[in-house]
Amino acid sequence: MKDLRKFYIDGQWVDPIQSNDLAVENPANEELVATISLGAAADVNLAVAAARRAFQGFSQTPVDERIALMEKLLQIYMDRYDEMAVAISVEMGAPISFATAAQADCGRGHISTALEALKQFEFERQVGNTRIVKEAIGVCGFITPWNWPINQISCKVAPALATGCTMVLKPSEIAPISGYLFTEMMDQAGFPAGVYNMVNGDGPNVGSVISSHPEVDMVSFTGSTRAGILVAKAAADTVKRVTQELGGKSPNIIFEDADLEKAVTAGVTHMMGNTGQSCNAPSRMLVQSSVYGKALAIAKQAAANVAVDQPTKEGWHLGPLSSRAQFDKVQGLIHTGIEEGATLVAGGLGKPEGLETGYFVKPTIFGDVNNEMTIAREEIFGPVLTMIPFDSEEQAIEIANDTPYGLSAYFSTGSEERAKRVAGKLRAGMVSVNSASQNYTAPFGGYKQSGNGREWGEFGFDDFLEIKGINERIKRSEEHTSELQSHGESR
């Protein structure tokens, strides 16, 4: 079992001030794989003080120096890429092929796109007699989740480094192994002491301290909307900047003129990816009534083709949910769907046959759902798809937008005119047309209770920068002054 009880503060691996051990469980076999220590306010205070001391120097470093450091970090990440994939697979149950191709790739993707954005970023420009300067906001606090662990760490840390900020990271205590490995990489890359600090812990004892800390200038949180509200409230007294990437209940509209087989199959496959544990998962499939019956049959077959197996096996299949708590939540919501009268098209309660140990669940699809049902309103965060019929384009848009969330929206159509029209009416931060995928340079974030701010690529820089206007008196040239004097004398 790995001993990961140290924190990383001021460029050193240090013991927690007071020991408070927590065992980390492999959700595929329920075995203990690591031990971390849960920090407290005193540990956070040390980390924030180190970040504050480092800020003055690091924020003034030339861009070329930050580029060189980030290039070294990227090289180290690639050298240890397979280690990262294994860490993610072990800590949260991602199948190794998926962990390698998708989960671990996020670290590479975000560091490299931040690097490219930094090389071209305009930190200063002139507007009239005002010099507009974008400066690092200061000490940043990062609270990251377990479902895409290195994705959320890297898409916060990379732009913070690029813009000259210093930081304190609290990875998820459920999936902390990848965060610990990333911290080793940061140490190996040679960033100045105090620029990057890592303290493990839970929300009440570390997350809330980071959020409310008077010496933290900005906090970036990814997680549930419920927890995001608590973060915002904790941060309010110090009037710091708060950016959040929260929950979602994303619609996936399939119009009758779409390629039905392709659209439905892609929608089911996307929903089941990462065992449904993605905030932007297309969890509500809205299908035009004229083709709804056919769509149900296609979805049932697509679900039957989704295998569930051990994460150590190569290939495309689902692994377990991340924890017993998550398993219990998903099972409870499946039960609620049945109780509310939705039709079980595929899957259901219990574990797949042969996978009784671990937090494995059946890929589940509900038909005959209306948008008022619990399973259509709440974020399930498991491989559970709801299918809702609609009659007209207007009704589809109304149902799609009838949610407190607004992270992502998806739709499929054969009409170019409809594609433009519908995309403009969906209240979501990200829209995918005909299963188009998103790349690392596109903005990631949502409307309404899905959060505020944007991450990824150059769009991720804005939240880490303050804008300063320096109004300058322009010194006129001697020639220009002489002309003015002559003009005055002639009058």
Side-chain angles (χ1 to χ4, degrees), residues 417-464:
E417 293 76 16
R418 173 178 275 160
K420 293 179 181 178
R421 188 170 62 241
V422 172
K425 293 180 180 180
L426 293 171
R427 297 286 295 165
M430 300 173 287
V431 177
S432 169
V433 184
N434 292 329
S435 303
S437 59
Q438 181 164 345
N439 59 54
Y440 291 119
T441 59
F444 194 101
Y447 291 10
K448 300 186 283 185
Q449 291 186 29
S450 286
N452 51 71
R454 293 295 180 269
E455 296 180 316
W456 297 25
E458 65 176 294
F459 302 98
F461 282 29
D462 291 344
D463 290 329
F464 295 97

Side-chain angles (χ1 to χ4, degrees), residues 41-233:
D43 302 292
V44 175
N45 289 339
L46 289 177
V48 172
R52 176 58 62 194
R53 289 192 298 271
F55 175 70
Q56 188 60 41
F58 190 67
S59 63
Q60 301 301 312
T61 54
V63 169
D64 286 349
E65 285 187 24
R66 299 204 295 274
I67 288 173
L69 284 166
M70 291 182 68
E71 286 177 338
K72 188 172 182 181
L73 174 63
L74 180 60
Q75 182 58 57
I76 292 167
Y77 190 94
M78 296 309 298
D79 290 343
R80 305 186 70 179
Y81 187 98
D82 290 342
E83 288 181 68
M84 182 60 73
V86 170
I88 295 170
S89 182
V90 168
E91 69 186 357
M92 56 83 61
I96 190 62
S97 295
F98 181 75
T100 302
Q103 288 268 10
D105 188 65
C106 292
R108 177 208 62 80
H110 291 309
I111 297 169
S112 61
T113 52
L115 253 172
E116 291 309 305
L118 176 58
K119 291 174 183 178
Q120 304 172 42
F121 196 79
E122 188 177 63
F123 285 94
E124 185 175 318
R125 65 190 178 96
Q126 194 77 26
V127 178
N129 72 328
T130 303
R131 184 158 49 96
I132 308 297
V133 179
K134 294 183 177 182
E135 299 179 337
I137 194 169
V139 175
C140 303
F142 300 147
I143 304 169
T144 58
W146 47 260
N147 61 318
W148 284 85
I150 203 60
N151 174 67
Q152 291 306 135
I153 290 172
S154 60
C155 79
K156 298 180 192 301
V157 171
L161 295 172
T163 53
C165 295
T166 59
M167 65 213 73
V168 177
L169 167 70
K170 187 201 88 65
S172 168
E173 69 275 23
I174 294 171
I177 303 173
S178 56
Y180 204 94
L181 177 58
F182 183 82
T183 301
E184 290 181 355
M185 296 177 188
M186 287 291 298
D187 181 59
Q188 193 177 345
F191 284 87
V195 168
Y196 171 91
N197 305 271
M198 186 276 290
V199 177
N200 276 314
D202 57 20
N205 295 297
V206 173
S208 63
V209 177
I210 290 173
S211 302
S212 61
H213 204 291
E215 289 296 315
V216 171
D217 301 294
M218 176 265 201
V219 60
S220 179
F221 171 81
T222 298
S224 70
T225 297
R226 177 195 59 78
I229 291 169
L230 296 176
V231 167
K233 287 181 176 179

Side-chain angles (χ1 to χ4, degrees), residues 28-43:
N29 55 25
E30 303 179 45
E31 295 178 358
L32 302 182
V33 292
T35 302
I36 64 169
S37 190
L38 299 177
D43 302 292

Side-chain angles (χ1 to χ4, degrees), residues 137-420:
I137 194 169
V139 175
C140 303
F142 300 147
I143 304 169
T144 58
W146 47 260
N147 61 318
W148 284 85
I150 203 60
N151 174 67
Q152 291 306 135
I153 290 172
S154 60
C155 79
K156 298 180 192 301
V157 171
L161 295 172
T163 53
C165 295
T166 59
M167 65 213 73
V168 177
L169 167 70
K170 187 201 88 65
S172 168
E173 69 275 23
I174 294 171
I177 303 173
S178 56
Y180 204 94
L181 177 58
F182 183 82
T183 301
E184 290 181 355
M185 296 177 188
M186 287 291 298
D187 181 59
Q188 193 177 345
F191 284 87
V195 168
Y196 171 91
N197 305 271
M198 186 276 290
V199 177
N200 276 314
D202 57 20
N205 295 297
V206 173
S208 63
V209 177
I210 290 173
S211 302
S212 61
H213 204 291
E215 289 296 315
V216 171
D217 301 294
M218 176 265 201
V219 60
S220 179
F221 171 81
T222 298
S224 70
T225 297
R226 177 195 59 78
I229 291 169
L230 296 176
V231 167
K233 287 181 176 179
D237 287 342
T238 49
V239 200
K240 59 172 56 70
R241 184 177 298 172
V242 178
T243 65
Q244 300 169 314
E245 197 266 281
L246 307 176
K249 195 67 180 177
S250 301
N252 181 13
I253 306 171
I254 299 177
F255 291 101
E256 61 185 359
D257 63 352
D259 182 330
L260 193 65
E261 183 87 28
K262 180 179 179 181
V264 174
T265 301
V268 171
T269 302
H270 189 173
M271 178 61 231
M272 302 305 170
N274 204 38
T275 317
Q277 300 170 122
S278 298
C279 51
N280 61 339
S283 53
R284 291 183 298 146
M285 184 180 286
L286 282 52
V287 183
Q288 198 146 17
S289 299
S290 57
V291 294
Y292 185 76
K294 292 180 181 178
L296 285 174
I298 295 169
K300 182 176 182 177
Q301 183 58 52
N305 292 335
V306 176
V308 183
D309 212 329
Q310 295 292 339
T312 51
K313 291 186 178 180
E314 298 281 351
W316 198 94
H317 55 270
L318 305 190
L321 292 169
S322 64
S323 65
R324 183 181 297 276
Q326 192 63 20
F327 176 84
D328 291 343
K329 176 191 174 186
V330 172
Q331 291 293 299
L333 284 165
I334 293 173
H335 178 75
T336 297
I338 295 170
E339 288 290 300
E340 290 184 342
T343 300
L344 195 60
V345 176
L349 293 166
K351 298 180 179 181
E353 186 177 349
L355 294 168
E356 287 75 21
T357 300
Y359 307 122
F360 296 91
V361 292
K362 299 173 184 176
T364 297
I365 297 177
F366 282 105
D368 303 316
V369 178
N370 66 65
N371 207 47
E372 300 307 312
M373 290 181 176
T374 303
I375 55 173
R377 306 299 298 180
E378 292 190 17
E379 186 177 35
I380 298 173
F381 232 56
V384 182
L385 174 67
T386 63
M387 297 183 67
I388 303 170
F390 70 87
D391 295 323
S392 65
E393 180 180 307
E394 292 72 22
Q395 186 187 28
I397 293 168
E398 181 182 356
I399 295 171
N401 289 336
D402 181 18
T403 171
Y405 301 111
L407 186 58
S408 295
Y410 307 81
F411 69 93
S412 296
T413 179
S415 166
E416 186 175 338
E417 293 76 16
R418 173 178 275 160
K420 293 179 181 178

